[in-house]
Amino acid sequence: MKEQIHFGPWRSLLAEVIEEEDYSSIFYVVDRKVSDLHQLELGEEKAAFINASEASKNLDTVSTLWNSFSAANCDRKSLIVCIGGGFTTDVGGFAAATYMRGVSSIYIPSTVLGMLDASIGGKTGINFRHFKNRIGSFHPSDHIIVDTRFLESLPELQWWSGYAELIKHALIADRDLWNELLKIEQQEDLRSKLDKLLAKGMSIKQHIVKRDYQEEGVRKKLNFGHTFGHALESLSLEKDTEVLHGFAVAVGIWVEARLSLEIGLLSNKEFDQIADYLHKLYPFQNIEEKDISAIMRYMKGDKKNIHSSINFTLLEGIGNAVTDQSPARGTIEISLRSYIDEYKKL
Ligand SMILES: NC(=O)c1ccc[n+]([C@@H]2O[C@H](COP(=O)([O-])OP(=O)(O)OC[C@H]3O[C@@H](n4cnc5c(N)ncnc54)[C@H](O)[C@@H]3O)[C@@H](O)[C@H]2O)c1
């Protein structure tokens, strides 16, 4: 069974799971910052240290990893252990997926987002020509080891970036969880309930992914907030500015909740509750009128589209998502303009 989740100290858990498998060698792909902050001391000859940034989520970084795997004589039975956030597991996982037609991997996520989301479900990939995650593969890790001690060094903004994915999980699948999340407003609130919330969020994602690994049906629910969120990230890549993934997703949730309201799937009361909560936690992003055409272009280029219409996952009430929604272009633009108007009011 792939993607077995373990909670606890990573070194002893890794030793335990390796003991049970038959890997020929181990190579680590590690976020350099995490390695420095946590003094991982893994040995240069069997580790590659990478700098996490959306601008370097590309083939050059993957190629550097392939070189390192080759230089370390990794073979088809080698294991690639990725330690870092979603950048590291996406890129390291993609290098593992493509080296010798695929070698095994284990993920040790070091961010809230990595734990809650990126490490689960086997999606690996890189950006291409400003399009987010355009090149990639499905390649699940053998194990996911969640050691929350890594989060002690994680900046607060990164906590909230990851938390956006938990908000999404609640909105698409679990109204009770949403009601619980509404009580979380400070990092301390989140910290005090972390273990419970991580376990809950991870189980929602794993439950969905298990039913539809290749994203032909129910897995598309996880894309809520991401059609718009990814377009905003693409725009940032184009402008050479960086927006944290979860902050882009938070804007995506706002706009796509608004779109759900516009087409009559969500009530005013529910939309207001979502918008008010997001407003408490996430700064409004300065999207300008002149950005609308680029955002529409990126959404049209989204890999989830089939034929030429933009494919959204929307909310039919809180806790319930509906997939394959293609509202008219005008309605999408109205939702986007509502966001811009809200920003202007601040
Ligand atoms: N595969 C998937 O299903 C999936 C799902 C969601 C997001 N993603 C991808 O994940 C990426 C975002 O991942 P992320 O938010 O984890 O960010 P990240 O991996 O880019 O890390 C964010 C920053 O935090 C630093 N960092 C990481 N761990 C740290 C720690 N413990 N202490 C201090 N600093 C630390 C990194 O060096 C980096 O500067 C995006 O590229 C997104 O596309 C993938």
Side-chain angles (χ1 to χ4, degrees):
M1 199 183 76
K2 295 275 187 185
E3 295 199 336
Q4 291 182 53
I5 300 176
H6 315 263
F7 288 88
W10 74 271
R11 279 188 200 269
S12 52
L13 284 172
L14 184 63
E16 260 173 51
V17 297
I18 284 173
E19 178 111 354
E20 288 165 18
E21 310 273 357
D22 184 27
Y23 303 120
S24 58
S25 64
I26 304 175
F27 191 91
Y28 293 88
V29 174
V30 192
D31 181 319
R32 189 184 302 280
K33 212 184 277 175
V34 176
S35 172
D36 292 347
L37 286 166
H38 294 267
Q39 297 173 350
L40 297 185
E41 288 167 12
L42 297 164
E44 295 287 334
E45 75 289 347
K46 57 173 191 157
F49 299 91
I50 53 179
N51 298 317
S53 83
E54 283 303 313
S56 57
K57 196 176 176 186
N58 58 29
L59 201 53
D60 288 343
T61 307
V62 175
S63 180
T64 307
L65 293 179
W66 287 330
N67 269 322
S68 305
F69 298 169
S70 289
N73 295 317
C74 291
D75 61 28
R76 295 183 75 178
K77 298 285 273 176
S78 294
L79 166 71
I80 308 299
V81 176
C82 300
I83 307 180
F87 168 87
T88 306
T89 52
D90 274 16
V91 175
F94 182 62
T98 41
Y99 182 76
M100 293 192 174
R101 296 203 180 86
V103 294
S104 297
S105 59
I106 288 181
Y107 291 164
I108 305 179
S110 66
T111 60
V112 173
L113 188 138
M115 292 171 187
L116 271 172
D117 196 6
S119 62
I120 308 167
K123 282 190 183 177
T124 71
I126 53 173
N127 304 329
F128 184 64
R129 293 192 196 284
H130 302 139
F131 280 99
K132 274 281 295 176
N133 303 337
R134 175 148 283 203
I135 310 295
S137 71
F138 286 102
H139 187 69
S141 66
D142 290 357
H143 298 272
I144 300 163
I145 296 174
V146 179
D147 184 341
T148 52
R149 291 175 306 174
F150 281 115
L151 302 180
E152 284 159 21
S153 61
L154 192 70
E156 182 172 350
L157 280 182
Q158 296 287 348
W159 278 68
W160 293 116
S161 176
Y163 183 69
E165 298 285 6
L166 187 60
I167 292 178
K168 178 203 72 181
H169 288 166
L171 287 173
I172 62 167
D174 193 330
R175 201 185 175 108
D176 292 342
L177 176 61
W178 168 252
N179 288 333
E180 220 172 297
L181 297 190
L182 288 174
K183 295 176 207 144
I184 291 174
E185 295 186 4
Q186 309 287 333
Q187 190 186 15
E188 213 28 64
D189 306 333
L190 182 50
R191 215 183 265 279
S192 66
K193 294 182 182 163
L194 185 69
D195 290 351
K196 192 174 154 219
L197 292 175
L198 281 178
K200 185 75 201 162
M202 291 177 87
S203 87
I204 290 176
K205 176 145 185 193
Q206 210 167 39
H207 178 69
I208 291 176
V209 166
K210 270 190 185 152
R211 284 160 64 203
D212 173 27
Y213 181 63
Q214 295 285 348
E215 195 168 298
E216 281 153 3
V218 70
R219 185 169 181 168
K220 292 183 196 168
K221 289 189 177 191
L222 292 164
N223 296 330
F224 174 62
H226 283 64
T227 303
F228 184 79
H230 279 165
L232 188 57
E233 285 185 284
S234 293
L235 184 68
S236 302
L237 279 170
E238 187 184 303
K239 289 182 171 175
D240 211 12
T241 54
E242 194 150 349
V243 55
L244 296 184
H245 179 71
F247 282 63
V249 168
V251 183
I253 292 175
W254 196 105
V255 175
E256 293 176 26
R258 179 79 204 192
L259 194 48
S260 310
L261 168 73
E262 291 294 335
I263 65 170
L265 291 173
L266 200 63
S267 68
N268 272 306
K269 194 172 160 218
E270 287 176 309
F271 171 76
D272 287 345
Q273 191 182 49
I274 295 169
D276 289 348
Y277 187 56
L278 290 174
H279 188 41
K280 275 187 202 154
L281 299 181
Y282 298 95
F284 267 77
Q285 303 288 319
N286 186 6
I287 301 167
E288 296 173 59
E289 188 68 27
K290 66 177 167 52
D291 295 327
I292 291 182
S293 62
I295 289 171
M296 293 301 287
R297 173 168 46 85
Y298 281 120
M299 289 201 290
K300 266 196 136 12
D302 191 290
K303 62 190 172 305
K304 299 184 289 293
N305 297 335
I306 295 170
H307 309 305
S308 58
S309 53
I310 305 172
N311 188 310
F312 287 92
T313 292
L314 297 178
L315 293 183
E316 192 170 21
I318 288 175
N320 185 33
V322 277
T323 62
D324 298 317
Q325 300 295 305
S326 302
R329 185 186 170 106
T331 318
I332 300 170
E333 289 190 5
I334 287 172
S335 307
L336 190 41
R337 284 209 170 81
S338 312
Y339 185 87
I340 295 174
D341 291 344
E342 285 298 316
Y343 178 82
K344 282 187 195 148
K345 277 189 216 155
L346 296 177

